[in-house]
Amino acid sequence: MKNRWIAILIISVLAILPGISTFMMVPKAEAKAVNTVMSTQSWKASFSKALKGSNITEENVYVTTDKGRKVTATITLGEDNKTLIVSQLAPGSYKLHVRKQAFAPSELKTTSHVIAFTVVEKLEAVKSEEELQQYFKAILANGNSEAESESRTENNTSSEDKANSLSDSSNSSTTNNQVEGVEEGDIVVVKNDIIYAVKDQSITVVDASNPKNLKLATTVKLKESQYISKLALYDNVLIAIGDEYIEKTGTSMTTATFYDITNPKNPNFLREVAQEGFLQDIRITKDTLYLIGNMHPNYWMLKEGETLDLKPKTYDSSVSKDYKSLPLEKISILPNTMDGTYSLITAVDLKNGAKATATTKGYLGGSSGLYMSENALYLTTPIYNGNRGDMVGGMVMDRIWLPTQVDTQVFKWDIAGTALNFVGATEVKGSVLNQYSMDEYKGNFRIVTTEGNMWDEQNVSRNHLFILDKNLKELGSVKDLAPGEKVYSARFMGEKAYVVTFKQVDPLFVIDVENPKKPTVLGQLKIPGYSNYLHPLDDTHLIGIGYDTEERYDAYSKRNFTVTTNMKMSLFDVSDFQNPKEQSMVKIGGKGSNSEVQYNPKALFRHTEYNYYGFPVVLYEAGQGDEIVYQGQGAQIYEITAEKGIVLKGNIISKNSGDQYEDWEQVVQRVVYIDDVLYTVARNEVKSYQLKDFKSLDTLPIK
């Protein structure tokens, strides 16, 4: 995950640049503001010193044009008494004037502030190479060496119709996607009795038409420098996506390779599409593939006086064999960004065999989080606050920048096929856990965050839920949930949101988000342990997968502390929203037991007809002291219903044969089904079982 490093920027250096954060420095008090804001949003200026509400008058706080003429604007004081919010301004260049009389008395020296900013109607493309070079030179001029260091080392027609266009309509497994109609891809996909599985630089194609006699149909070999992390299906096209190092250009590329699998025993290469940098994730919706990634240009070489091409490279084998730099008209600078990283988005029209030209756009301002609905893409990135001279171990470290995340920036695009329309950006307090902490519903964006560090007793952590409108303006929020804890999982289900926080016990919060202007906590449940992933069973029941915990006492520190013991799966009954309860629970293995489903929901197996839910698992038991003893690995399948609760149906475990740890090659990666047969897929073998009783049918070794 890429980090964002926000430096203290000098206004005079950056005045010529659009879309860049600027900071105005005074001897002891500071002001921070975004230089560019969209006309659909409010502009904010934050101060290190509190303002006095009664002193926010037209005389003390006002807005002028860049020529000095006063204009009418709505100016309000934020809840923290340190933020001024300016709205109702037409596109143009402005200055906010804040006289020292507006501030509340404090130990900080008071001074007046004049902060320039621009309101734009739409995001403009970079106009010249000089402007692009100046952007990166400004980063270097402000000593953003931490960003340099990191750059060097970081190598939803009907819902039924939509589902059918993305995957096989037969009775077989599909990817556990977050949003219906938005395909996310996985390392194993299934179509027409064929299993396609990733293995390093190849794709294993298994013919499962006869589950009692599995056959290796073929192995698709990719380049030695190409590592596949995602497979996706669209009609008769198989798409392999991953990262590739291109030796002749000295760069890494995110590459999508397309194959015609009309004859799965002989996949036919169609084309390759690539963008420079590293893959963040993919999505497929409404007949379009989206590749989303980050690219870090070598801008620090500007220090050596070198002339550099700092534009990302792209590649499309159907157009040219050359790697080409992205044209300037395809590059923009996102508001409030200054980290020297590109967010790259490539869109490919998949209709007619994915033959249409790919479209790539680059946005200066990297991202680490992603959520996509059928109509919009949201990217998030952490905003850090670092202070040189922080106390570390009782010593002042005046040469080390110690950043802590304080906020999350959200960027939004409306999407329509290969067309991307940037909507705007905003900030929310705290950090976002993962894509399941985000959601779009009836055009509004919902996001759950944790502010602060739960181990910081001086400044306790807090958890928030924010609801933003289509232009990313805040409509409503629930703030300060579970002080001293952090979010471990979240799930939005229409007009309800479910949030799990944890430090010593697991509170499951039920939040009513039907009224976006007034979300309300309806109830909560506190139990030992926590859920890393929440999955809807029906409208009033949730499956939680996580760990059980127990509290212990440390005689040395004379404090209680919490440790994980075993995996745990719970069924939560939320039919009474004010009184949620854990209806059923099973403990899985002992201390050290684990499953990929804990951090990657793609590993969840689902079969709605049988009410089956399962996942790969590696089992351990507690030994002497802190020792853990390996027991075996494989998969477990549970029947989960609101009537019966959780019942173990298939315990497909290969027992320990004397090994101390699991064999990585043999660990089950995915569990899938075709008709009434279940298959476990590992790197070195595929096994088939009867779904009704899990009787073993066949094993196919894979070399």
Side-chain angles (χ1 to χ4, degrees), residues 4 6 32 44 46 80 83 336 368 380-385 404-410 426-432 447 449-452 462 464 466:
R4 169 180 303 269
I6 303 295
K32 182 177 71 172
K44 298 178 182 180
S46 299
D80 60 359
T83 303
N336 196 19
S368 56
T380 66
T381 191
I383 299 174
Y384 289 93
N385 177 30
T404 55
Q405 183 177 351
V406 291
D407 294 324
T408 293
Q409 193 163 17
V410 181
T426 193
E427 295 178 13
V428 293
K429 289 289 184 183
S431 59
V432 61
I447 183 169
T449 65
T450 297
E451 181 182 2
R462 294 163 289 168
H464 315 300
F466 299 98

Side-chain angles (χ1 to χ4, degrees), residues 438-681:
M438 298 181 279
D439 178 76
E440 185 189 78
Y441 184 69
K442 294 183 177 180
N444 296 326
F445 181 64
R446 294 97 69 95
I447 183 169
V448 175
T449 65
T450 297
E451 181 182 2
N453 185 334
M454 69 177 180
W455 304 113
D456 185 349
E457 297 179 356
Q458 301 300 317
N459 184 23
V460 297
S461 59
R462 294 163 289 168
N463 303 284
H464 315 300
L465 181 151
F466 299 98
I467 302 179
L468 313 177
D469 70 7
K470 64 180 182 179
N471 294 317
L472 299 182
K473 290 182 179 179
E474 185 176 319
L475 292 172
S477 64
V478 173
K479 296 181 180 178
D480 302 331
L481 281 172
E485 301 185 2
K486 65 167 286 188
V487 171
Y488 270 70
S489 59
R491 192 78 191 221
F492 290 89
M493 292 169 56
E495 296 174 350
K496 297 294 183 293
Y498 302 93
V499 179
V500 169
T501 63
F502 179 76
K503 186 173 183 180
Q504 291 180 322
V505 293
D506 170 2
L508 169 68
F509 291 94
V510 181
I511 306 174
D512 187 348
V513 288
E514 180 179 7
N515 182 353
K517 295 182 179 180
K518 196 175 181 179
T520 306
V521 176
L522 298 178
Q524 63 174 293
L525 167 69
K526 290 191 175 184
I527 55 175
Y530 56 87
S531 298
N532 281 320
Y533 175 62
L534 297 173
H535 189 88
L537 179 67
D538 55 34
D539 290 341
T540 57
H541 292 81
L542 278 168
I543 301 168
I545 303 173
Y547 287 102
D548 202 7
T549 61
E550 66 180 33
E551 194 170 302
R552 296 180 182 176
Y553 178 74
D554 179 29
Y556 180 77
S557 64
K558 297 182 179 179
R559 290 187 178 186
N560 290 330
F561 64 99
T562 304
V563 298
T564 58
T565 53
N566 46 261
M567 281 186 58
K568 182 177 80 166
M569 183 160 56
S570 302
L571 178 62
F572 298 109
D573 181 351
V574 293
S575 53
D576 181 354
F577 296 122
Q578 283 76 24
N579 297 287
K581 62 181 180 180
E582 187 180 45
Q583 176 181 332
S584 181
M585 183 269 288
V586 294
K587 295 183 178 182
I588 302 168
K591 181 180 178 181
S593 297
N594 61 85
S595 170
E596 185 183 345
V597 76
Q598 295 277 13
Y599 57 88
N600 183 5
K602 301 294 181 299
L604 182 69
F605 167 82
R606 299 130 29 250
H607 192 296
T608 54
E609 182 181 347
Y610 282 85
N611 298 309
Y612 281 172
Y613 297 85
F615 36 80
V617 66
V618 179
L619 300 179
Y620 283 83
E621 292 288 349
Q624 296 181 350
D626 292 330
E627 182 186 27
I628 57 174
V629 181
Y630 174 56
Q631 298 295 307
Q633 67 82 29
Q636 291 188 335
I637 311 298
Y638 294 84
E639 180 186 21
I640 306 179
T641 62
E643 296 74 27
K644 298 179 182 179
I646 305 173
V647 180
L648 178 63
K649 286 292 185 176
N651 192 33
I652 310 170
I653 301 295
S654 298
K655 300 295 184 180
N656 178 19
S657 58
D659 295 329
Q660 189 174 0
Y661 300 103
E662 69 269 19
D663 181 352
W664 182 61
E665 289 284 325
Q666 198 172 358
V667 168
V668 173
Q669 296 180 299
R670 293 293 183 270
V671 185
V672 298
Y673 74 89
I674 301 173
D675 296 326
D676 289 327
V677 180
L678 177 141
Y679 302 85
T680 60
V681 181

Side-chain angles (χ1 to χ4, degrees), residues 138-153:
I139 296 174
L140 294 174
N142 287 278
N144 199 2
S145 58
E146 291 82 5
E148 297 172 40
S149 174
E150 182 183 357
S151 296
R152 284 192 289 263
T153 57

